[in-house]
C-alpha cells in the first residue's frame, strides 16, 4: 500500500476508509463541502492503480456532462504517475465510461436495443419535440388545449416514466376523467414515437431497464463488463435510475454511491432521496461511511445550517465539523421593505468589495423564486454594481414579461408594430383579435398601470397558456405577478414603460461589456441553481413565511422538509460570511403585505447571529 501514497495523500480518516474499502456495496453519506467528488474519483483511481479493476470495468455515473468530464480529468491526473510518459497517461483509462445516466443508456440501446424492437438509428426527442407531438395529439383527439395543456400532459407522462409506469399500467392505475384522457394521450404518444423511431429522454432510462429485465443475457453482458459502478449525487436519482443501478450491481455488488439526503432539493423533478435508504434494504451487506469534516465553511455557518436541517425527521442528518475556525457571526438583517432589502445587499457588497477587498465574483445573492431577482437587478443597476444571473434570464428579458409588456405597449400606442408582431407570434391570432377588441372598447379609459395590466391580461386570455400545477408555468405566473409590483410603483403607464425601457437599456450596456463584467460581477441565482457551488460571501434573501419556505409547501410535511433542505444548501454555499435578510413589509405580486420572518430564522441559536435593521414587530403592528 505504501506504493500508492501519492494517491491517498491528504485524505482524512473517513475519506481514506471510503477510498480503500475492499468489501461489497458502499454508501458514502457525504455532507456539504466534505469532498465527495474527491472520494469518488480517488476510489476509482485506487481500484485501477491497485489492479482490482481494469479501466474498462469502471462505470462512473453522474447527472451532468460537465461533472462527468471533470471526473474524467481528475482520473487522468490521478493516474498519471503510473505512466512512464506524461503524454500517454490517458491510455490508462481506455474503455472507462464516465457520463450521465442518459448518455449511458443511449450507449446501451444503440448496441442492444433491437432486442426489444428499438432500432439503433433511433432519434432522441428534446423538450420542444415532445411538446409539439403532444400538442398535435391533443388536436387529433379533438381535445381542448385549454383543459389539456401540453406542458401539463408532458409532466404527467414524464413522472410516469420516471416511475417505470407504462401506458397500460398508467391507464389501469388512474381514476378520474382527466387522467384517463391523459392515459389515452400517453398511449398515442408512445405509438407515435415508435412510428418515428424516436425516444424521449425518459424513454432512454425506461427502455434500458426494460431491456435488462426482458433479456437476462444482455444484462449479464453489462454486469460482466461494468463490474465496478460508482454513482455521484445519489440523492438525486429517481426510481428508474435506482432500478438501473440495482440491476447492474446485482451480480458482483461492487456499487459505490455518494450522496447526502440533506441536499436533496429536486423532488419536483422526480428525484427521491429515499433511494439512499432503499440501498440498505436491497443490499443487506452494504457498508456506510459518513464524511462529516467540512473543508468549505466556518464552524459558525455549519452550526447554523445544522440547526435548520436538524428539524427534518424523514432522513439522516450529518453533524458537520471543520478545522476552519469559528469565523464571524451570521448577520440577520430585517429590512423595512423589499426595496430596503435590495439596497442593504447592494450597499453591503460595495463595502465588502471596496473596503475589505472581497472579490465580487466570490459574492452570491440567493433567492427562492426567479421573480425576486427584479428588485436586486434594479438596485444593482442604480449602484453601478455589475452582476450576472446564473441559470436564469434577466427579469425584463423573460418571455412572459416581454409578452405582457407588448400588451401594455399597444394600449399606450396602438401603432407599435413590433409589439403587435410579438402578440400575434406568441399569443396567436385569436388572442390578438381579443386585444384589438379590448382596445376598441376601452380606448379612453384612464386606468392605473396595475389596473390596466390586470384587465388586459385577463381580456387577452394570455393566462390560459399556463397551468399553475406545472412548476415551470407557476414560475412564469409568479414573474407576471411580480410585474404587477412594478406597475404599482408607476401608476402612469407612460412612466412605467419608460422605466422598463431604461432598465432594458442598462441590460444592453451590460451585455456589450459581458466579457469584462465576468471578472467583476456578483452572482445572482435561485437557491436551486446554487447547488454544487461555493462563495466567500453569501446573501440569502427573502427569508419569510410564504417565500422561504414557499407558500406551496406549507401544507405538506414532505415539501416543507425539502424547503428546509433548500435553505440548508444555500447556507452551506458560504465559506466565510453569511447574510440572511427578510422584510417587514413587501410589495409582493402587486400588493403590500406584512411578512412574518421565516421559521428557519427562529431555528438558528441566538449566539450565532448578529441582528440589524428595522425594529418593526409584525405581530405588535398587526395586533394594534
Amino acid at each position: 500500500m505504501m506504493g500508492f501514497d501519492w494517491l491517498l495523500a491528504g485524505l482524512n480518516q473517513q475519506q481514506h476508509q471510503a477510498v480503500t474499502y475492499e468489501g461489497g456495496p458502499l454508501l458514502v453519506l457525504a455532507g456539504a463541502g466534505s469532498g465527495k467528488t474527491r472520494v469518488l474519483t480517488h476510489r476509482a483511481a485506487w481500484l485501477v492503480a491497485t489492479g482490482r479493476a481494469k479501466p474498462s470495468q469502471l462505470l462512473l455515473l453522474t447527472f451532468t456532462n460537465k461533472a462527468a468530464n471533470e471526473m474524467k480529468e481528475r482520473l487522468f491526473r490521478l493516474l498519471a504517475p503510473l505512466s512512464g510518459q506524461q503524454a500517454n497517461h490517458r491510455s490508462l483509462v481506455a474503455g472507462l465510461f464516465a457520463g450521465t445516466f442518459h448518455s449511458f443508456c443511449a450507449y446501451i440501446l444503440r448496441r442492444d436495443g433491437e432486442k426489444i424492437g428499438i432500432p439503433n438509428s433511433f432519434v432522441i426527442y428534446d423538450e420542444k419535440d415532445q411538446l409539439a407531438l403532444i400538442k398535435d395529439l391533443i388536436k387529433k383527439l379533438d381535445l381542448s388545449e385549454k383543459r389539456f395543456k401540453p406542458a401539463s400532459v408532458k409532466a404527467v407522462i414524464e413522472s410516469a416514466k420516471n416511475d417505470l409506469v407504462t401506458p397500460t399500467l398508467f391507464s389501469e392505475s388512474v381514476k378520474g376523467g382527466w387522467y384517463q384522457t391523459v392515459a389515452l394521450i400517453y398511449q398515442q404518444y408512445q405509438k407515435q414515437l415508435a412510428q418515428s423511431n424516436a425516444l424521449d429522454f425518459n424513454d432512454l432510462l425506461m427502455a434500458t431497464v426494460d431491456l435488462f429485465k426482458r433479456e437476462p443475457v444482455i444484462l449479464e453482458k453489462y454486469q460482466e463488463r461494468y463490474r465496478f459502478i460508482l454513482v455521484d449525487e445519489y440523492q438525486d436519482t429517481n426510481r428508474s435510475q435506482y432500478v438501473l443501478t440495482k440491476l447492474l450491481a446485482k451480480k458482483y455488488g461492487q456499487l459505490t454511491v455518494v450522496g447526502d439526503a440533506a441536499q436533496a432539493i429536486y423532488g419536483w423533478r422526480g428525484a427521491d432521496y429515499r433511494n439512499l435508504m432503499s440501498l440498505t434494504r436491497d443490499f443487506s451487506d452494504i457498508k456506510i461511511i459518513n464524511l462529516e469534516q467540512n473543508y468549505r465553511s466556518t464552524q459558525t455557518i455549519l452550526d447554523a445550517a445544522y440547526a435548520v436541517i436538524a428539524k427534518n425527521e424523514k432522513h439522516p442528518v450529518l453533524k458537520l465539523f471543520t478545522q476552519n475556525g469559528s469565523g464571524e457571526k451570521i448577520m440577520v438583517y430585517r429590512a423595512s421593505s423589499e426595496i430596503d432589502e435590495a439596497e442593504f445587499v447592494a450597499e453591503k457588497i460595495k463595502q465588502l468589495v471596496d473596503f475589505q477587498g472581497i472579490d465580487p465574483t466570490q459574492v452570491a445573492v440567493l433567492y427562492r423564486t426567479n421573480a425576486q431577482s427584479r428588485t436586486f437587478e434594479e438596485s444593482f443597476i442604480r449602484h453601478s454594481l455589475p452582476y450576472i444571473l446564473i441559470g436564469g434570464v434577466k427579469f425584463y428579458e423573460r418571455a412572459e414579461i416581454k409578452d405582457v409588456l407588448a400588451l401594455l405597449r399597444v394600449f399606450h400606442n396602438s401603432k407599435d408594430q413590433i409589439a403587435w408582431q410579438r402578440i400575434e407570434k406568441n399569443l396567436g391570432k385569436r388572442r390578438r383579435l381579443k386585444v384589438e377588441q379590448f382596445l376598441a372598447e376601452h380606448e379612453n379609459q384612464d386606468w392605473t398601470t396595475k389596473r390596466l395590466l390586470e384587465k388586459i391580461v385577463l381580456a387577452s386570455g394570455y393566462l390560459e397558456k399556463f397551468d399553475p400545477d406545472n412548476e415551470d408555468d407557476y414560475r412564469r405566473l409568479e414573474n407576471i405577478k411580480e410585474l404587477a409590483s412594478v406597475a404599482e410603483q408607476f401608476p402612469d403607464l407612460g412612466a412605467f414603460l419608460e422605466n422598463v425601457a431604461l432598465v432594458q437599456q442598462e441590460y444592453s450596456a451590460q451585455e456589450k461589456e459581458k466579457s469584462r463584467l465576468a471578472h467583476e460581477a456578483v452572482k445572482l441565482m435561485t437557491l436551486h441553481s446554487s447547488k454544487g457551488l461555493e462563495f466567500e460571501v453569501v446573501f440569502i434573501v427573502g427569508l419569510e413565511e410564504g417565500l422561504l419556505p414557499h407558500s406551496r409547501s406549507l401544507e405538506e410535511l414532505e415539501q416543507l422538509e425539502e424547503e428546509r433542505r433548500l435553505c440548508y444548501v444555500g447556507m452551506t454555499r458560504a465559506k466565510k460570511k453569511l447574510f440572511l435578510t427578510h422584510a417587514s413589509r413587501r410589495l409582493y405580486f402587486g400588493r403590500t403585505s406584512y411578512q412574518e420572518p421565516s421559521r428557519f430564522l427562529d431555528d438558528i441559536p441566538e449566539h450565532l447571529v448578529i441582528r440589524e435593521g428595522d425594529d418593526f414587530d409584525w405581530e405588535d403592528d398587526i395586533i394594534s
Side-chain angles (χ1 to χ4, degrees):
M1 193 62 62
M2 292 298 292
F4 303 108
D5 287 349
W6 51 271
L7 188 57
L8 304 175
L11 300 178
N12 64 38
Q13 182 180 347
Q14 288 71 34
Q15 290 174 334
H16 187 284
Q17 184 183 6
V19 167
T20 61
Y21 181 64
E22 297 182 12
L26 173 64
L27 168 58
V28 182
L29 295 177
S34 63
K36 64 176 180 58
T37 305
R38 186 184 191 199
V39 165
L40 203 65
T41 50
H42 276 251
R43 178 160 177 77
W46 181 82
L47 289 169
V48 173
T50 59
R52 285 172 171 78
K54 298 176 182 177
S56 60
Q57 292 176 316
L58 294 180
L59 175 61
L60 275 71
L61 295 174
T62 186
F63 285 86
T64 66
N65 288 315
K66 180 183 177 183
N69 290 333
E70 287 176 355
M71 290 171 70
K72 282 182 188 176
E73 288 298 324
R74 287 197 192 192
L75 271 174
F76 293 150
R77 292 195 298 270
L78 286 170
L79 294 173
L82 293 180
S83 174
Q85 296 180 335
Q86 184 76 7
N88 294 331
H89 74 270
R90 289 176 184 266
S91 64
L92 290 169
V93 291
L96 163 79
F97 190 102
T100 64
F101 279 93
H102 292 97
S103 63
F104 174 67
C105 289
Y107 170 83
I108 290 173
L109 293 173
R110 295 284 183 203
R111 284 151 184 80
D112 292 292
E114 288 185 340
K115 302 291 191 306
I116 56 171
I118 298 173
N120 58 19
S121 60
F122 69 82
V123 295
I124 301 173
Y125 274 19
D126 63 17
E127 184 173 3
K128 288 184 178 179
D129 296 327
Q130 292 173 259
L131 286 170
L133 175 54
I134 291 170
K135 191 170 184 178
D136 185 55
L137 289 171
I138 289 170
K139 187 176 181 180
K140 286 180 178 178
L141 292 168
D142 197 25
L143 299 171
S144 166
E145 194 173 314
K146 182 177 178 181
R147 184 164 184 233
F148 295 94
K149 292 182 172 63
S152 302
V153 173
K154 172 176 168 288
V156 173
I157 292 174
E158 286 182 340
S159 178
K161 290 185 177 185
N162 285 340
D163 290 334
L164 301 175
V165 177
T166 64
T168 301
L169 288 174
F170 184 79
S171 181
E172 293 171 352
S173 65
V174 297
K175 295 179 180 178
W178 191 88
Y179 281 100
Q180 284 293 341
T181 304
V182 172
L184 176 61
I185 297 171
Y186 184 9
Q187 288 177 332
Q188 296 300 314
Y189 174 78
Q190 289 304 107
K191 285 182 181 178
Q192 189 64 56
L193 284 174
Q195 290 174 10
S196 303
N197 286 342
L199 301 175
D200 62 25
F201 278 98
N202 301 90
D203 282 328
L204 295 173
L205 289 157
M206 193 175 184
T208 304
V209 170
D210 186 38
L211 172 66
F212 285 167
K213 287 185 173 180
R214 287 167 57 183
E215 300 290 337
V217 174
I218 299 297
L219 171 60
E220 187 172 13
K221 179 175 81 171
Y222 288 103
Q223 287 174 332
E224 287 294 332
R225 178 167 181 180
Y226 298 112
R227 296 192 182 193
F228 299 86
I229 303 157
L230 302 96
V231 189
D232 196 13
E233 303 283 12
Y234 206 72
Q235 77 280 350
D236 293 335
T237 54
N238 58 33
R239 172 149 184 80
S240 62
Q241 290 159 336
Y242 180 84
V243 173
L244 179 72
T245 52
K246 177 183 168 184
L247 287 169
L248 285 168
K250 187 175 182 180
K251 184 170 185 178
Y252 291 104
Q254 290 299 318
L255 174 66
T256 299
V257 308
V258 296
D260 180 14
Q263 297 186 74
I265 59 174
Y266 298 121
W268 50 277
R269 276 195 330 212
D272 189 350
Y273 67 87
R274 290 170 295 189
N275 287 341
L276 287 168
M277 285 79 89
S278 295
L279 285 171
T280 62
R281 180 191 68 232
D282 291 332
F283 295 91
S284 57
D285 59 337
I286 196 166
K287 172 74 171 178
I288 301 175
I289 297 175
N290 294 343
L291 301 186
E292 296 174 303
Q293 182 172 352
N294 175 282
Y295 291 90
R296 177 188 301 152
S297 308
T298 65
Q299 193 64 53
T300 295
I301 291 171
L302 295 178
D303 288 347
Y306 178 76
V308 171
I309 196 64
K311 292 291 183 72
N312 277 7
E313 301 174 352
K314 291 183 174 291
H315 58 81
V317 175
L318 301 177
K319 183 77 167 70
L320 304 182
F321 68 92
T322 185
Q323 296 179 356
N324 294 338
S326 59
E328 299 179 17
K329 288 188 176 183
I330 296 163
M331 178 176 286
V332 176
Y333 181 76
R334 183 193 296 235
S336 59
S337 67
E338 78 284 353
I339 302 298
D340 179 29
E341 179 184 48
E343 288 294 296
F344 165 78
V345 172
E347 290 169 3
K348 181 62 69 174
I349 291 173
K350 288 188 74 70
Q351 291 174 13
L352 292 170
V353 172
D354 294 342
F355 300 110
Q356 296 188 31
I358 297 291
D359 179 354
T361 65
Q362 282 296 305
V363 180
V365 180
L366 312 180
Y367 36 81
R368 176 62 180 85
T369 69
N370 270 301
Q372 289 172 261
S373 76
R374 198 264 309 171
T375 54
F376 294 94
E377 290 183 60
E378 295 185 8
S379 179
F380 285 15
I381 286 172
R382 286 194 296 272
H383 285 270
S384 300
L385 190 61
Y387 70 91
I388 292 176
L389 240 68
I390 304 296
V393 179
K394 291 179 178 180
F395 185 78
Y396 291 111
E397 294 298 320
R398 294 166 190 168
E400 61 276 11
I401 297 301
K402 292 174 81 71
D403 290 345
V404 175
L405 288 174
L407 294 172
L408 296 173
R409 281 169 55 179
V410 295
F411 187 91
H412 185 65
N413 174 15
S414 61
K415 295 182 179 180
D416 188 338
Q417 291 305 310
I418 298 298
W420 279 117
Q421 288 172 16
R422 183 173 188 92
I423 289 170
E424 185 160 328
K425 179 181 178 182
N426 286 21
L427 279 70
K429 291 182 179 179
R430 182 175 60 84
R431 291 195 179 100
R432 172 176 175 147
L433 290 174
K434 287 185 176 182
V435 176
E436 289 174 343
Q437 182 180 350
F438 179 84
L439 264 60
E441 294 174 355
H442 303 287
E443 185 176 2
N444 298 316
Q445 287 287 351
D446 187 23
W447 287 316
T448 64
T449 307
K450 182 187 170 188
R451 184 69 172 149
L452 169 62
L453 187 155
E454 292 169 345
K455 282 186 169 293
I456 200 167
V457 166
L458 193 63
S460 68
Y462 181 61
L463 298 182
E464 296 169 5
K465 288 167 61 76
F466 307 110
D467 178 5
D469 293 327
N470 178 276
E471 196 70 31
D472 290 333
D473 279 359
Y474 188 82
R475 283 196 288 269
R476 295 183 183 102
L477 290 170
E478 284 188 321
N479 286 330
I480 294 170
K481 290 176 182 177
E482 178 59 20
L483 189 62
S485 295
V486 187
E488 178 74 14
Q489 296 172 39
F490 294 90
D492 178 74
L493 179 58
F496 168 85
L497 292 173
E498 181 178 318
N499 173 72
V500 171
L502 290 172
V503 175
Q504 288 176 319
Q505 179 63 27
E506 290 292 338
Y507 285 174
S508 299
Q510 284 196 5
E511 193 63 29
K512 291 175 183 176
E513 297 187 89
K514 194 171 184 179
S515 59
R516 180 181 66 81
L517 293 176
H519 301 292
E520 53 183 274
V522 175
K523 308 297 191 301
L524 270 64
M525 70 190 81
T526 63
L527 285 157
H528 283 101
S529 296
S530 73
K531 189 167 181 290
L533 304 177
E534 59 181 33
F535 303 92
E536 294 287 317
V537 182
V538 168
F539 292 80
I540 303 180
V541 300
L543 272 153
E544 299 148 28
E545 291 291 298
L547 261 182
L548 183 62
H550 196 278
S551 57
R552 299 183 89 189
S553 71
L554 299 179
E555 302 299 322
E556 293 276 346
L557 178 60
E558 191 71 52
Q559 293 182 23
L560 185 59
E561 290 210 348
E562 181 150 324
E563 292 290 301
R564 197 177 286 279
R565 293 193 292 270
L566 192 56
C567 185
Y568 173 81
V569 165
M571 294 174 75
T572 54
R573 299 311 93 195
K575 296 165 80 172
K576 293 181 179 178
K577 297 176 184 290
L578 177 60
F579 297 83
L580 309 175
T581 70
H582 62 107
S584 303
R585 300 175 181 85
R586 185 175 292 273
L587 181 58
Y588 190 49
F589 297 163
R591 292 178 174 81
T592 299
S593 61
Y594 294 114
Q595 295 296 107
E596 180 181 353
S598 170
R599 66 191 70 191
F600 303 154
L601 290 173
D602 293 335
D603 295 334
I604 303 173
E606 201 62 32
H607 71 273
L608 299 177
V609 303
I610 297 174
R611 298 186 182 273
E612 287 190 11
D614 183 40
D615 59 1
F616 171 82
D617 189 317
W618 70 275
E619 288 179 330
D620 290 346
D621 199 284
I622 290 174
I623 292 171
S624 63

